[in-house]
Amino acid sequence: MNDTGKKLSTTKAAKCLGVSIKALRLYESKGLVVPKRSPAGYRMYSPSDMIRATEVATLRSLGLSLTQVLQVLNGDSQALEVALIAHESLLKNEIQQLMNKIDSVQHLRSDLAKGLIPDNGNLTNVFNHSRRLQTSFSLPWPWAGELFELRDIRPLNYIIGSLGSGKTQFACQIADSLPNATFLGLERLEDGNRKATIAQLSTDIVLKHKVQRVMTWLTDEGATESEALTVLLVNLEAEGSDAVVVDMVEKGLDHTTQEAVINYLRNSAEQGYRPLFLMTRSSAILELTSVGQNEAIYLCPANHNPPFRVAPYPEAPGYESVEMCLALPEVRSRTQGMIAWIPKVAEFKSLVDH
């Protein structure tokens, strides 16, 4: 192919493709797209690079791991077939939802012909063009019971705040307020709970297959298989919840595994899966430069002002506070389980005297 056409910088290429700069770097590290460098050393994406990158991004949007993408681009159709089957199932489900709405409209029209006026609930279900969930609730302690509204809930949501900011209470309240939601707390990794969760795989064959499929995807991305990761996947892939709220999603996962997990969850969000709320303080989970249109950030301020949604832009209110709450997984592991302690005046004086 003639590559004499206009070449794009990494920033412009990422914008055109609708992916993050980090995603392009990841494609390059796996040898999927390797742009040439300008005389000054900058990456420059040629027309053929952009075609290749578009193919990679499209395959990624179907849920393929980087290893599977490479296999497909090298002529292996099996990985693509698996992804297409999953995507076809998703499309059929969307079609069924639309057909159900059409049935509802027809029933309403039939009732109107008989002189029956539908109630507001039925009208809301039919004319709700946005499929995003919404909920409202009174904020728990440490707030003063102010009304909080979650509007236009995204498929992937992050809850962040400093120690003592109330983020756990906020997350629990979200789980309580959303219909048919599950709260996945840190007790998931306690010995008894962990073993019981993993034991589910021996009795639920469908769940076992789903967890194995996702685990393969994650390990292809460089994740390390572990009990902590298995427990997380069992809870995320289990049927029965319309939304899941996870306390410290990074718990027990190393840096590379965290990056693989968030890549998987981001791909799932793009395919319209149920909403997830992830409590985190890891910059590997919440990389601010990679937050997309299917994601939202909720900050619990340290001064106990009400939580609010933060736009992923450096100039946005709360952005710097979110940045300050985040740390690399290696830093988080060094401070795991530590509690800030401020001695009383008498105790402090005793420490100084000694």
Side-chain angles (χ1 to χ4, degrees):
M1 175 178 288
N2 185 353
D3 270 343
T4 58
K6 183 178 180 181
K7 295 179 173 60
L8 301 178
S9 66
T10 302
T11 301
K12 290 183 178 179
K15 186 174 182 180
C16 288
L17 293 166
V19 301
S20 67
I21 292 174
K22 182 180 178 181
L24 286 181
R25 296 279 194 270
L26 194 60
Y27 299 168
E28 184 178 353
S29 70
K30 298 295 183 179
L32 293 168
V33 184
V34 184
K36 293 182 179 178
R37 303 274 183 149
S38 69
Y42 296 106
R43 294 173 177 83
M44 300 302 295
Y45 288 79
S46 66
S48 61
D49 290 330
M50 291 299 292
I51 291 174
R52 176 81 168 187
T54 301
E55 292 174 341
V56 173
T58 300
L59 292 171
R60 290 285 280 174
S61 71
L62 293 176
L64 272 65
S65 69
L66 290 171
T67 299
Q68 291 170 322
V69 168
L70 185 58
Q71 290 170 346
V72 171
L73 294 179
N74 287 337
D76 183 354
S77 62
Q78 184 176 359
L80 179 59
E81 175 67 11
V82 171
L84 289 175
I85 290 172
H87 193 62
E88 180 182 358
S89 176
L90 176 67
L91 293 175
K92 287 180 176 178
N93 183 55
E94 291 180 351
I95 290 172
Q96 186 60 53
Q97 289 178 1
L98 289 174
M99 291 300 297
N100 290 340
K101 284 203 169 188
I102 290 173
D103 287 342
S104 296
V105 169
Q106 290 175 342
H107 283 303
L108 289 177
R109 292 185 64 190
S110 176
D111 287 343
L112 284 175
K114 299 173 185 176
L116 301 174
I117 304 298
D119 60 37
N120 290 335
N122 287 330
L123 285 175
T124 300
N125 291 334
V126 170
F127 293 106
N128 181 17
H129 299 294
S130 172
R131 291 182 296 172
R132 312 272 196 197
L133 288 173
Q134 298 190 44
T135 189
S136 61
F137 51 83
S138 296
L139 287 169
W141 182 92
W143 298 282
E146 303 100 317
L147 180 66
F148 184 86
E149 293 185 341
L150 272 175
R151 298 181 179 180
D152 188 30
I153 295 176
R154 302 302 171 91
L156 189 55
N157 306 273
Y158 306 94
I159 300 173
I160 190 164
S162 58
L163 290 172
S165 63
K167 59 184 180 295
T168 303
Q169 290 88 336
F170 179 60
C172 288
Q173 192 64 54
I174 290 174
D176 287 341
S177 300
L178 288 175
N180 199 28
T182 297
F183 180 76
L184 184 57
L186 293 179
E187 65 275 5
R188 67 184 183 270
L189 295 178
E190 293 176 357
D191 191 53
N193 293 332
R194 186 180 73 251
K195 290 179 179 178
T197 301
I198 295 175
Q200 284 183 249
L201 299 179
S202 62
T203 58
D204 191 332
I205 303 303
V206 174
L207 179 60
K208 181 178 181 179
H209 175 74
K210 291 168 68 176
V211 170
Q212 287 177 337
R213 175 183 59 81
V214 179
M215 186 68 79
T216 299
W217 194 99
L218 292 172
T219 52
D220 281 349
E221 298 277 310
T224 301
E225 187 170 350
S226 65
E227 287 192 344
L229 180 57
T230 301
V231 167
L232 179 65
L233 295 183
V234 169
N235 283 282
L236 291 179
E237 296 300 319
E239 299 289 342
S241 298
D242 294 333
V244 180
V245 183
V246 185
D247 188 356
M248 291 300 155
V249 65
E250 64 264 23
K251 181 76 171 180
L253 310 180
D254 63 32
H255 192 148
T256 306
T257 302
Q258 290 181 35
E259 291 182 329
V261 165
I262 198 61
N263 284 337
Y264 169 71
L265 296 179
R266 187 167 281 126
N267 283 337
S268 298
E270 290 176 356
Q271 299 198 37
Y273 287 10
R274 62 188 175 186
L276 293 177
F277 289 82
L278 309 177
M279 282 178 56
T280 185
R281 293 191 65 195
S282 170
S283 58
I285 295 293
L286 175 50
E287 187 187 11
L288 291 170
T289 58
S290 299
V291 175
Q293 63 180 1
N294 290 318
E295 302 165 63
I297 305 167
Y298 295 93
L299 172 68
C300 295
N303 63 359
H304 293 159
N305 277 339
F308 64 97
R309 185 165 159 179
V310 177
Y313 310 111
E315 301 83 8
Y319 184 92
E320 288 188 6
S321 296
V322 171
E323 269 191 319
M324 291 181 67
C325 289
L326 295 170
L328 290 169
E330 294 77 12
V331 176
R332 294 279 297 133
S333 65
R334 291 203 303 269
T335 59
Q336 194 72 39
M338 294 182 64
I339 300 174
W341 172 64
I342 302 176
K344 296 179 182 178
V345 174
E347 293 171 339
F348 182 76
K349 185 177 185 300
S350 176
L351 288 172
V352 172
D353 290 342
H354 286 83

